[in-house]
Amino acid sequence: MATFALIPGGGSGPGYWSLLAAELRGRGHSAVAVELPYEEKTAGLPEYADAVVEAIGGQRDLVVVAHSFGGFTAPLVCDRIAVDLLVFVAGMIPRPGERPADWWQNTDHATALAESNLRHDPDPDVYALFLHDVPRDLADAALADSRDQADTSTNAAWPATALPKVPTRALICADDRFFPLEFMRAVTEDRLGITPDVMPGSHHPMLSRPAELADRLHTYWTTL
């Protein structure tokens, strides 16, 4: 079975992976939810990747799973250690030399978000935008586990010269209001050259649909 390295999104702690990690372990896998040094002002994307490698240790049969902003870290991990599969879950897919701070403009995220807000809520709070299908107690616990992310990682260019040459899958969420479906489909096809898979759920399927997400990750592994 595999070891799943679970990389959190921007300013998030590892706690919101706990339900998914339990589901993966129930399917016979190992799961490592990584703490990234978001609050350290000297830490950028290379240091984030170092933290993932350290958390993995010597484990093998690796699947690296990147949520949201974690997409800028995960490919760097694949350049450091042997990884069998890379999975973006509502993930930000980088380009060489791109600053994460510029990703938003480069993908025209503002237009997609404005259109999404018109459809759902013109002035969404954090629950409506990111967690609208997550039970409130789980949403509150995830928010309480957030980090103050220093801007070091967002202002430096993504340091790799290319995306890693490892099997890669992308999973996007049909009900994601922050990264709307068609926006993410276009970004994924443009930047990865593959058609993403789609599952129900908001921006945090590991909280709203952990069993279904675990099934999909398990299937990715067993069909490599």
Side-chain angles (χ1 to χ4, degrees), residues 4-8 13-18 21 25 30-36 55:
F4 287 83
L6 308 174
I7 302 176
Y16 72 59
W17 291 112
S18 60
R25 293 177 185 123
S30 297
V32 179
V34 180
E35 175 79 68
L36 295 183

Side-chain angles (χ1 to χ4, degrees), residues 9-10 66-75 88-95 98-104 107 154 158 163 178-179 183-184 187-188 191 203:
H67 178 234
S68 199
F69 185 83
F72 275 91
T73 298
F88 292 92
V89 177
M92 296 170 69
I93 302 161
R95 280 184 170 151
E98 181 177 57
R99 296 190 317 148
D102 295 332
W103 184 92
W104 310 96
T107 59
T154 63
W158 192 64
L163 289 165
F178 183 60
F179 284 168
F183 165 79
M184 286 301 289
V187 170
T188 302
R191 295 189 169 216
H203 193 64

Side-chain angles (χ1 to χ4, degrees), residues 66 71 74-75 86-94 163 168-172 192:
L86 169 62
V87 183
F88 292 92
V89 177
M92 296 170 69
I93 302 161
L163 289 165
T168 301
R169 304 295 293 267
L171 183 59
I172 60 178
L192 285 180

Side-chain angles (χ1 to χ4, degrees):
M1 290 298 180
T3 295
F4 287 83
L6 308 174
I7 302 176
S12 296
Y16 72 59
W17 291 112
S18 60
L19 297 177
L20 176 66
E23 292 284 351
L24 290 170
R25 293 177 185 123
R27 290 158 177 77
H29 302 290
S30 297
V32 179
V34 180
E35 175 79 68
L36 295 183
Y38 277 137
E39 296 180 319
E40 295 182 17
K41 293 183 178 180
T42 58
L45 294 172
E47 288 74 26
Y48 292 2
D50 291 343
V52 178
V53 171
E54 182 177 357
I56 291 170
Q59 299 188 69
R60 299 182 178 181
D61 300 323
L62 290 175
V63 180
V64 174
V65 181
H67 178 234
S68 199
F69 185 83
F72 275 91
T73 298
L76 304 179
V77 175
C78 300
D79 289 337
R80 285 164 165 73
I81 56 176
V83 171
D84 295 279
L85 178 65
L86 169 62
V87 183
F88 292 92
V89 177
M92 296 170 69
I93 302 161
R95 280 184 170 151
E98 181 177 57
R99 296 190 317 148
D102 295 332
W103 184 92
W104 310 96
Q105 182 174 345
N106 292 346
T107 59
D108 196 20
H109 176 260
T111 297
L113 181 60
E115 293 173 351
S116 175
N117 289 346
L118 284 175
R119 289 194 302 272
H120 300 291
D121 187 336
D123 187 25
D125 61 13
V126 65
Y127 299 99
L129 188 57
F130 295 98
L131 300 153
H132 59 88
D133 62 347
V134 176
R136 190 59 174 253
D137 60 333
L138 295 179
D140 286 342
L143 292 172
D145 193 40
S146 63
R147 306 290 186 267
D148 291 326
Q149 183 174 348
D151 60 8
T152 308
S153 61
T154 63
N155 287 330
W158 192 64
T161 58
L163 289 165
K165 293 182 178 180
V166 301
T168 301
R169 304 295 293 267
L171 183 59
I172 60 178
C173 300
D175 310 304
D176 192 335
R177 297 178 183 177
F178 183 60
F179 284 168
L181 177 64
E182 293 307 321
F183 165 79
M184 286 301 289
R185 195 193 307 275
V187 170
T188 302
E189 291 176 350
D190 177 49
R191 295 189 169 216
L192 285 180
I194 63 174
T195 300
D197 297 315
V198 180
M199 68 172 287
S202 64
H203 193 64
H204 290 80
M206 67 290 294
L207 291 172
S208 61
R209 290 171 172 80
E212 181 173 348
L213 180 53
D215 284 341
R216 287 175 178 269
L217 294 174
H218 174 78
T219 298
Y220 289 163
W221 171 253
T222 58
T223 56
L224 269 177

